[in-house]
Amino acid sequence: MQWSHYSEAIFDMWGSSASNIVVQACPGAGKTTNIAHLWGLDTKSTVYVVFNKQNQVEAQQKLPPKADSAVLTTHSLGLRAISATYGRPEIDEKKVIKLVRQYVTPRLKTLVLPPKTKLSDLEWMVKRAVDVAKFSCEDTVCDDQTYREMVNTYDLEDYEGMQEDISTVLEENDERVGTIDFSDMIRLPALYQCSMPQYDHILCDEVQDFNSMQARLIAQLQGKKYALVGDRHQSIYGFRGAMLDSMDYLTEQFQCVELPLSISYRCGKAIVDEARAVWPCIEAWDHAGDGLVRYGEPDSEAILGELRGITAPSMGMVLCRNNAPLIRYAYALLKAGIACHVRGRSIGEGLTKLVQKFPVSSIRELLGCLAEWSELELSKALVAEDDTQRERIIDKRDSLLALAQQVTLDDHPSVLTEQISELFAQGRGVVLSTVHKAKGLEAQQCYMLDHHLHGQAMQRTRTHWQREQEKNVLYVAVTRAKDGLMYC
């Protein structure tokens, strides 16, 4: 392996110093390869903390065996701590909704509900809010400031008294350590002094996406040395709980020396130039291909011809900032005889839940309810001056309108949910994906659908962190491409 001078500096610092390090790694910099090298530099016990189960399996296959060491997700790390402290818990993903029905539903039954609102709707509203509170609240009480931030940031519907209901369920949830759900695996060890497994060295990947509970969990490992790897310019998950300044926070928390890993071995030189216009800290590899950045019309015969030739996700993918244009384009591709699917099962599930929210028997009635719902929710977003929430509502509405164009007005809404299930079924033909869902992926050719949406979103930003997140979304989109980038 011919290491770059950036890699050599990282290895030298790790081997010759007691300092913790944080590595700012650009897209395609080979951070996993560098972490693997750190793993093998000595025989000291090491834990490599990765983002998800897939990353864990891949790392376990690549890393050589090492005594008293492990590759873990933050969730599996937390589960080990809970088991060591309280005994092996029962895993119950219905834990929160059961607590809601036990402690909150009796009060909800005494309320006069708004027209077309079902008791079960309120129960699931509380359940979702508690799920958000688990990574937002650093105590068992949901205080006023945290509650308002949760509602405004995470697309939460609320009602009078919901803040108190969240605190009630959260307190009960945190006391019941014998039964846990997925989020408890991180929250409970972060809150309580659990018996954590001990390692000499701690290696962490994707730290730009850590939420405050994950940061607290990692701190409890109390390793002799930390190497934290991420890219602050790929931080795009602020809307779902990631700390907006995660890498800066962790650098200060662990008193790290920051080191760059700035050469992209993935992207062609023209694509790196495009990325540098967003964030200039990325460099092209000397031996990289030229790459190509183009402009074209998405429905042109040339582009449709290219998409027909795509037989694997690694060959090409269609990206967009929002969901609605992807759904419209997916149907255009299907009509042109090009197999495709939209990436993101959770997106499809969210649209299905929105359809099922309305007690109607036809698409015609559904569209009427959808218009009323969007008007009400948009007015709330306007009062709150929440442009992010406004955009989410519009995207949901427009996505369902695009789907509804494929059925008749007299069809039952179940026909629409079947369409959603089919379109979001994974593995068929060309991949269409939002930028958020494409993070971590790459393809030879990337097609940026409705690329003007990035500029429009940037113009709507009001705060520094919103502008930075929008720049990060564009940066992530551009750097998915290896050889070709097509704006269309």
Side-chain angles (χ1 to χ4, degrees):
M1 172 67 72
Q2 183 67 45
W3 298 107
S4 71
H5 63 284
Y6 294 118
S7 294
E8 293 286 4
I10 292 168
F11 304 151
D12 288 346
M13 176 66 75
W14 186 253
S16 63
S17 168
S19 297
N20 296 327
I21 62 174
V22 62
V23 178
Q24 166 66 20
C26 78
K31 60 185 176 65
T32 305
T33 304
N34 280 262
I35 291 173
H37 190 72
L38 290 178
W39 170 280
L41 280 178
D42 55 51
T43 59
K44 294 184 177 179
S45 64
T46 305
V47 61
Y48 177 20
V49 183
V50 297
F51 188 64
N52 57 32
K53 183 67 176 179
Q54 180 181 342
N55 299 142
Q56 182 184 25
V57 171
E58 291 173 355
Q60 288 170 335
Q61 293 172 344
K62 292 178 181 178
L63 295 177
K66 192 174 180 180
D68 301 319
S69 300
V71 180
L72 301 171
T73 64
T74 49
H75 289 88
S76 56
L77 174 62
L79 179 58
R80 288 191 179 195
I82 293 172
S83 299
T85 306
Y86 303 108
R88 182 76 180 184
E90 177 188 354
I91 310 298
D92 184 1
E93 283 306 314
K94 295 182 179 179
K95 175 182 177 180
V96 172
I97 192 63
K98 288 178 179 177
L99 291 174
V100 170
R101 288 169 179 162
Q102 182 177 356
Y103 291 98
V104 176
T105 299
R107 190 187 74 80
L108 295 178
K109 287 180 177 179
T110 68
L111 302 179
V112 178
L113 302 182
K116 299 182 179 178
T117 300
K118 296 182 290 187
L119 180 62
S120 59
D121 292 338
L122 296 183
E123 290 174 339
W124 285 98
M125 282 166 57
V126 180
K127 191 270 183 190
R128 181 169 179 240
V130 172
D131 288 340
V132 172
K134 283 188 179 185
F135 60 72
S136 300
C137 300
E138 298 191 7
D139 200 346
T140 55
V141 175
C142 183
D143 60 53
D144 291 345
Q145 181 179 346
T146 303
Y147 178 70
R148 291 320 318 169
E149 289 176 353
M150 285 167 48
V151 170
N152 293 333
T153 305
Y154 302 112
D155 194 16
L156 299 179
E157 296 179 83
D158 68 340
Y159 58 83
E160 186 175 353
M162 189 166 86
Q163 181 181 352
E164 291 75 16
D165 290 341
I166 293 171
S167 293
T168 297
V169 176
L170 196 60
E171 185 173 5
E172 290 293 334
N173 177 87
D174 292 347
E175 288 180 355
R176 303 190 182 200
V177 297
T179 300
I180 66 172
D181 61 14
F182 196 58
S183 58
D184 284 336
M185 295 178 189
I186 293 174
R187 177 172 174 81
L188 297 181
L191 283 181
Y192 305 133
Q193 292 296 319
C194 288
S195 178
M196 298 291 289
Q198 296 299 302
Y199 303 94
D200 293 318
H201 292 167
I202 290 91
L203 310 176
C204 298
D205 197 6
E206 300 287 356
V207 298
Q208 79 278 349
D209 294 326
F210 271 22
N211 59 45
S212 60
M213 287 297 164
Q214 288 171 310
R216 288 177 64 168
L217 177 68
I218 294 301
Q220 291 195 31
L221 283 170
Q222 299 179 346
K224 295 177 182 176
K225 198 156 56 170
Y226 286 77
L228 311 174
V229 184
D231 182 359
R232 58 174 51 86
H233 301 315
Q234 293 189 74
S235 171
I236 60 175
Y237 292 133
F239 69 94
R240 75 176 192 190
M243 289 186 290
L244 302 173
D245 58 350
S246 174
M247 290 193 67
D248 294 331
Y249 173 86
L250 293 167
T251 298
E252 181 177 351
Q253 176 85 3
F254 295 102
Q255 299 180 344
C256 295
V257 175
E258 182 169 334
L259 297 168
L261 194 60
S262 301
I263 297 174
S264 177
Y265 299 94
R266 172 195 298 161
C267 304
K269 292 176 180 176
I271 295 162
V272 168
D273 288 342
E274 198 75 6
R276 285 178 60 82
V278 185
W279 291 114
C281 53
I282 184 172
E283 302 173 20
W285 182 38
D286 288 342
H287 304 293
D290 290 337
L292 181 63
V293 178
R294 303 176 290 159
Y295 289 81
E297 295 298 323
D299 56 352
S300 69
E301 283 301 321
I303 292 181
L304 293 178
E306 291 178 19
L307 294 175
R308 283 192 183 92
I310 293 175
T311 57
S314 60
M315 293 175 62
M317 68 174 75
V318 178
L319 301 176
C320 188
R321 189 186 178 283
N322 298 350
N323 287 297
L326 290 172
I327 292 172
R328 287 193 291 268
Y329 194 53
Y331 281 113
L333 294 183
L334 291 171
K335 288 177 181 176
I338 302 172
C340 65
H341 72 274
V342 179
R343 181 178 170 84
R345 185 178 63 182
S346 61
I347 298 170
E349 290 173 350
L351 293 174
T352 296
K353 286 180 181 177
L354 183 54
V355 171
Q356 295 172 341
K357 176 184 179 72
F358 307 119
V360 295
S361 57
S362 71
I363 300 299
R364 181 181 285 103
E365 293 177 289
L366 174 67
L367 294 180
C369 290
L370 180 64
E372 292 178 10
W373 170 84
S374 62
E375 184 178 353
L376 175 62
E377 295 302 317
L378 286 171
S379 66
K380 291 181 183 178
L382 181 63
V383 170
E385 297 185 342
D386 189 342
D387 292 330
T388 302
Q389 171 72 342
R390 175 182 173 277
E391 186 177 1
R392 289 193 191 118
I393 296 162
I394 291 173
D395 195 30
K396 286 182 180 179
R397 179 198 67 194
D398 290 352
S399 295
L400 286 183
L401 290 175
L403 287 158
Q405 290 177 0
Q406 312 306 315
V407 298
T408 68
L409 293 177
D410 292 328
D411 281 336
H412 191 273
S414 61
V415 175
L416 192 59
T417 58
E418 289 170 8
Q419 289 268 6
I420 294 170
S421 177
E422 214 172 295
L423 191 59
F424 284 86
Q426 304 300 290
R428 299 184 309 154
V430 176
V431 177
L432 296 94
S433 175
T434 61
V435 179
H436 288 89
K437 289 294 181 182
K439 188 170 177 292
L441 303 180
E442 60 183 37
Q444 298 297 126
Q445 304 289 328
C446 285
Y447 301 82
M448 291 273 288
L449 186 65
D450 283 6
H451 61 93
H452 64 276
L453 291 172
H454 293 278
Q456 291 177 358
M458 186 68 73
Q459 291 174 359
R460 288 194 298 269
T461 59
R462 303 185 186 206
T463 65
H464 173 73
W465 79 263
Q466 287 175 328
R467 284 190 293 276
E468 191 156 292
Q469 289 269 299
E470 284 302 329
K471 288 181 68 175
N472 291 352
V473 170
L474 179 57
Y475 184 71
V476 169
V478 169
T479 54
R480 297 312 91 198
K482 297 174 70 174
D483 297 330
L485 178 65
M486 166 70 82
Y487 290 104
C488 51

